Amino acid sequence: MANLHRGDMTTHPDVSEMRERYARMLGGRDVALVDGPVFLLGLYCAASPWIVHYTTSQPALVAHNLIMGIAIGLLALGFTRAPERMYGLSYAMCALGIWMIIAPWIVGTSPDRGVIINNIVIGALALALGLVCAGTAARSTSRP
C-alpha cells in the first residue's frame, strides 16, 4: 500500500477552511452531554403516573405529567438535533423543573406523599439539568 502521508497538514492549501468547517460542525455540541439524561427524565416523567400508581387518584396529574414528559423529551431531541438553536431554550428546562415541583398542589387534588416526592424529584432533576445545559451554553457561545 502506498504511503499517502506527504507531510504536515499545516502546509495544506485549504487548512484554514477545513478547520473552520470542523469547528462549525462541532459547534454547539457542548449541550450534547445532557441530552441523554434529559430524554430519560422526560420518558420517566411521562410514565411516572403508571410507575408510581396514581392514575386513579390523580387523573389531572396523569395528563399533566404525560404532557410535561413529552415536552421534556422534545427538548432533549432538540438538544440532540440542533443544539446551537436550542441554547435559548435551556432556561425553559429550568422553568419546567420549577413547575414540576409546584404542580402537585396546583394541578392535583390533595396529592399524597408519593406523588409529591415523585414530582419534586423530577422537578429538581429537570432544574439541575437545565442549569447545567444553560451554563454550558453560556460558556460555549462565542464572544466578540
PDB file of all heavy atoms in Angstrom, residues 9-24:
ATOM      1  N   MET A   9      -0.119  18.692   7.899  1.00  0.00           N
ATOM      2  CA  MET A   9      -1.363  19.279   7.395  1.00  0.00           C
ATOM      3  C   MET A   9      -1.312  20.800   7.369  1.00  0.00           C
ATOM      4  O   MET A   9      -2.100  21.432   6.685  1.00  0.00           O
ATOM      5  CB  MET A   9      -2.553  18.839   8.250  1.00  0.00           C
ATOM      6  CG  MET A   9      -3.120  17.489   7.900  1.00  0.00           C
ATOM      7  SD  MET A   9      -3.756  17.411   6.223  1.00  0.00           S
ATOM      8  CE  MET A   9      -5.198  18.444   6.324  1.00  0.00           C
ATOM      9  N   THR A  10      -0.429  21.387   8.117  1.00  0.00           N
ATOM     10  CA  THR A  10      -0.368  22.851   8.142  1.00  0.00           C
ATOM     11  C   THR A  10       0.050  23.428   6.799  1.00  0.00           C
ATOM     12  O   THR A  10      -0.177  24.606   6.539  1.00  0.00           O
ATOM     13  CB  THR A  10       0.598  23.339   9.231  1.00  0.00           C
ATOM     14  OG1 THR A  10       1.883  22.781   8.993  1.00  0.00           O
ATOM     15  CG2 THR A  10       0.091  22.957  10.607  1.00  0.00           C
ATOM     16  N   THR A  11       0.637  22.617   5.937  1.00  0.00           N
ATOM     17  CA  THR A  11       1.042  23.092   4.617  1.00  0.00           C
ATOM     18  C   THR A  11      -0.050  22.918   3.580  1.00  0.00           C
ATOM     19  O   THR A  11       0.122  23.353   2.443  1.00  0.00           O
ATOM     20  CB  THR A  11       2.299  22.337   4.158  1.00  0.00           C
ATOM     21  OG1 THR A  11       2.002  20.940   4.085  1.00  0.00           O
ATOM     22  CG2 THR A  11       3.458  22.589   5.111  1.00  0.00           C
ATOM     23  N   HIS A  12      -1.148  22.301   3.954  1.00  0.00           N
ATOM     24  CA  HIS A  12      -2.250  22.102   3.011  1.00  0.00           C
ATOM     25  C   HIS A  12      -2.853  23.453   2.644  1.00  0.00           C
ATOM     26  O   HIS A  12      -3.040  24.319   3.512  1.00  0.00           O
ATOM     27  CB  HIS A  12      -3.321  21.201   3.646  1.00  0.00           C
ATOM     28  CG  HIS A  12      -4.314  20.687   2.678  1.00  0.00           C
ATOM     29  ND1 HIS A  12      -5.381  21.436   2.255  1.00  0.00           N
ATOM     30  CD2 HIS A  12      -4.396  19.496   2.034  1.00  0.00           C
ATOM     31  CE1 HIS A  12      -6.095  20.732   1.394  1.00  0.00           C
ATOM     32  NE2 HIS A  12      -5.525  19.543   1.248  1.00  0.00           N
ATOM     33  N   PRO A  13      -3.174  23.676   1.371  1.00  0.00           N
ATOM     34  CA  PRO A  13      -3.682  24.990   0.974  1.00  0.00           C
ATOM     35  C   PRO A  13      -5.062  25.336   1.558  1.00  0.00           C
ATOM     36  O   PRO A  13      -5.390  26.514   1.687  1.00  0.00           O
ATOM     37  CB  PRO A  13      -3.743  24.918  -0.548  1.00  0.00           C
ATOM     38  CG  PRO A  13      -3.635  23.487  -0.900  1.00  0.00           C
ATOM     39  CD  PRO A  13      -2.977  22.789   0.241  1.00  0.00           C
ATOM     40  N   ASP A  14      -5.843  24.355   1.937  1.00  0.00           N
ATOM     41  CA  ASP A  14      -7.193  24.603   2.453  1.00  0.00           C
ATOM     42  C   ASP A  14      -7.303  24.364   3.956  1.00  0.00           C
ATOM     43  O   ASP A  14      -8.392  24.125   4.467  1.00  0.00           O
ATOM     44  CB  ASP A  14      -8.203  23.701   1.741  1.00  0.00           C
ATOM     45  CG  ASP A  14      -8.311  23.996   0.262  1.00  0.00           C
ATOM     46  OD1 ASP A  14      -8.130  25.178  -0.105  1.00  0.00           O
ATOM     47  OD2 ASP A  14      -8.566  23.060  -0.522  1.00  0.00           O
ATOM     48  N   VAL A  15      -6.205  24.436   4.675  1.00  0.00           N
ATOM     49  CA  VAL A  15      -6.222  24.097   6.091  1.00  0.00           C
ATOM     50  C   VAL A  15      -7.123  25.042   6.890  1.00  0.00           C
ATOM     51  O   VAL A  15      -7.842  24.606   7.794  1.00  0.00           O
ATOM     52  CB  VAL A  15      -4.797  24.047   6.678  1.00  0.00           C
ATOM     53  CG1 VAL A  15      -4.182  25.416   6.784  1.00  0.00           C
ATOM     54  CG2 VAL A  15      -4.814  23.360   8.021  1.00  0.00           C
ATOM     55  N   SER A  16      -7.132  26.333   6.573  1.00  0.00           N
ATOM     56  CA  SER A  16      -7.980  27.254   7.343  1.00  0.00           C
ATOM     57  C   SER A  16      -9.462  26.965   7.099  1.00  0.00           C
ATOM     58  O   SER A  16     -10.270  26.997   8.025  1.00  0.00           O
ATOM     59  CB  SER A  16      -7.656  28.706   6.992  1.00  0.00           C
ATOM     60  OG  SER A  16      -7.914  28.943   5.622  1.00  0.00           O
ATOM     61  N   GLU A  17      -9.815  26.660   5.855  1.00  0.00           N
ATOM     62  CA  GLU A  17     -11.212  26.322   5.559  1.00  0.00           C
ATOM     63  C   GLU A  17     -11.621  25.017   6.223  1.00  0.00           C
ATOM     64  O   GLU A  17     -12.729  24.895   6.748  1.00  0.00           O
ATOM     65  CB  GLU A  17     -11.422  26.220   4.052  1.00  0.00           C
ATOM     66  CG  GLU A  17     -12.839  25.876   3.663  1.00  0.00           C
ATOM     67  CD  GLU A  17     -12.998  25.665   2.169  1.00  0.00           C
ATOM     68  OE1 GLU A  17     -12.111  26.075   1.403  1.00  0.00           O
ATOM     69  OE2 GLU A  17     -14.015  25.073   1.775  1.00  0.00           O
ATOM     70  N   MET A  18     -10.727  24.029   6.253  1.00  0.00           N
ATOM     71  CA  MET A  18     -11.043  22.752   6.895  1.00  0.00           C
ATOM     72  C   MET A  18     -11.203  22.916   8.389  1.00  0.00           C
ATOM     73  O   MET A  18     -12.104  22.330   8.991  1.00  0.00           O
ATOM     74  CB  MET A  18      -9.959  21.719   6.572  1.00  0.00           C
ATOM     75  CG  MET A  18      -9.976  21.270   5.125  1.00  0.00           C
ATOM     76  SD  MET A  18      -8.870  19.889   4.719  1.00  0.00           S
ATOM     77  CE  MET A  18      -7.302  20.452   5.263  1.00  0.00           C
ATOM     78  N   ARG A  19     -10.370  23.731   9.021  1.00  0.00           N
ATOM     79  CA  ARG A  19     -10.504  23.979  10.455  1.00  0.00           C
ATOM     80  C   ARG A  19     -11.804  24.696  10.773  1.00  0.00           C
ATOM     81  O   ARG A  19     -12.474  24.394  11.757  1.00  0.00           O
ATOM     82  CB  ARG A  19      -9.314  24.791  10.968  1.00  0.00           C
ATOM     83  CG  ARG A  19      -8.067  23.976  11.107  1.00  0.00           C
ATOM     84  CD  ARG A  19      -6.952  24.785  11.712  1.00  0.00           C
ATOM     85  NE  ARG A  19      -5.765  23.954  11.838  1.00  0.00           N
ATOM     86  CZ  ARG A  19      -4.540  24.413  11.769  1.00  0.00           C
ATOM     87  NH1 ARG A  19      -4.326  25.700  11.603  1.00  0.00           N
ATOM     88  NH2 ARG A  19      -3.525  23.600  11.895  1.00  0.00           N
ATOM     89  N   GLU A  20     -12.150  25.676   9.949  1.00  0.00           N
ATOM     90  CA  GLU A  20     -13.405  26.408  10.155  1.00  0.00           C
ATOM     91  C   GLU A  20     -14.615  25.481  10.001  1.00  0.00           C
ATOM     92  O   GLU A  20     -15.546  25.530  10.793  1.00  0.00           O
ATOM     93  CB  GLU A  20     -13.498  27.561   9.163  1.00  0.00           C
ATOM     94  CG  GLU A  20     -14.743  28.390   9.308  1.00  0.00           C
ATOM     95  CD  GLU A  20     -14.800  29.483   8.247  1.00  0.00           C
ATOM     96  OE1 GLU A  20     -13.750  30.083   7.960  1.00  0.00           O
ATOM     97  OE2 GLU A  20     -15.901  29.710   7.720  1.00  0.00           O
ATOM     98  N   ARG A  21     -14.604  24.622   9.004  1.00  0.00           N
ATOM     99  CA  ARG A  21     -15.706  23.684   8.791  1.00  0.00           C
ATOM    100  C   ARG A  21     -15.805  22.687   9.952  1.00  0.00           C
ATOM    101  O   ARG A  21     -16.894  22.372  10.419  1.00  0.00           O
ATOM    102  CB  ARG A  21     -15.511  22.937   7.488  1.00  0.00           C
ATOM    103  CG  ARG A  21     -16.679  22.013   7.152  1.00  0.00           C
ATOM    104  CD  ARG A  21     -16.492  21.304   5.845  1.00  0.00           C
ATOM    105  NE  ARG A  21     -16.370  22.272   4.772  1.00  0.00           N
ATOM    106  CZ  ARG A  21     -15.904  21.969   3.571  1.00  0.00           C
ATOM    107  NH1 ARG A  21     -15.500  20.751   3.296  1.00  0.00           N
ATOM    108  NH2 ARG A  21     -15.829  22.890   2.640  1.00  0.00           N
ATOM    109  N   TYR A  22     -14.665  22.217  10.424  1.00  0.00           N
ATOM    110  CA  TYR A  22     -14.647  21.291  11.556  1.00  0.00           C
ATOM    111  C   TYR A  22     -15.203  21.957  12.815  1.00  0.00           C
ATOM    112  O   TYR A  22     -16.004  21.375  13.540  1.00  0.00           O
ATOM    113  CB  TYR A  22     -13.217  20.806  11.791  1.00  0.00           C
ATOM    114  CG  TYR A  22     -13.089  19.810  12.913  1.00  0.00           C
ATOM    115  CD1 TYR A  22     -13.546  18.505  12.757  1.00  0.00           C
ATOM    116  CD2 TYR A  22     -12.507  20.162  14.121  1.00  0.00           C
ATOM    117  CE1 TYR A  22     -13.415  17.585  13.780  1.00  0.00           C
ATOM    118  CE2 TYR A  22     -12.383  19.259  15.139  1.00  0.00           C
ATOM    119  CZ  TYR A  22     -12.835  17.970  14.961  1.00  0.00           C
ATOM    120  OH  TYR A  22     -12.723  17.067  15.982  1.00  0.00           O
ATOM    121  N   ALA A  23     -14.802  23.197  13.070  1.00  0.00           N
ATOM    122  CA  ALA A  23     -15.306  23.926  14.236  1.00  0.00           C
ATOM    123  C   ALA A  23     -16.809  24.190  14.105  1.00  0.00           C
ATOM    124  O   ALA A  23     -17.546  24.119  15.083  1.00  0.00           O
ATOM    125  CB  ALA A  23     -14.556  25.246  14.394  1.00  0.00           C
ATOM    126  N   ARG A  24     -17.268  24.484  12.890  1.00  0.00           N
ATOM    127  CA  ARG A  24     -18.691  24.720  12.679  1.00  0.00           C
ATOM    128  C   ARG A  24     -19.506  23.444  12.891  1.00  0.00           C
ATOM    129  O   ARG A  24     -20.594  23.474  13.443  1.00  0.00           O
ATOM    130  CB  ARG A  24     -18.908  25.276  11.276  1.00  0.00           C
ATOM    131  CG  ARG A  24     -20.251  25.898  11.055  1.00  0.00           C
ATOM    132  CD  ARG A  24     -20.378  26.603   9.710  1.00  0.00           C
ATOM    133  NE  ARG A  24     -19.995  25.764   8.590  1.00  0.00           N
ATOM    134  CZ  ARG A  24     -19.012  26.052   7.726  1.00  0.00           C
ATOM    135  NH1 ARG A  24     -18.304  27.140   7.854  1.00  0.00           N
ATOM    136  NH2 ARG A  24     -18.735  25.231   6.735  1.00  0.00           N
TER     137      ARG A  24
END
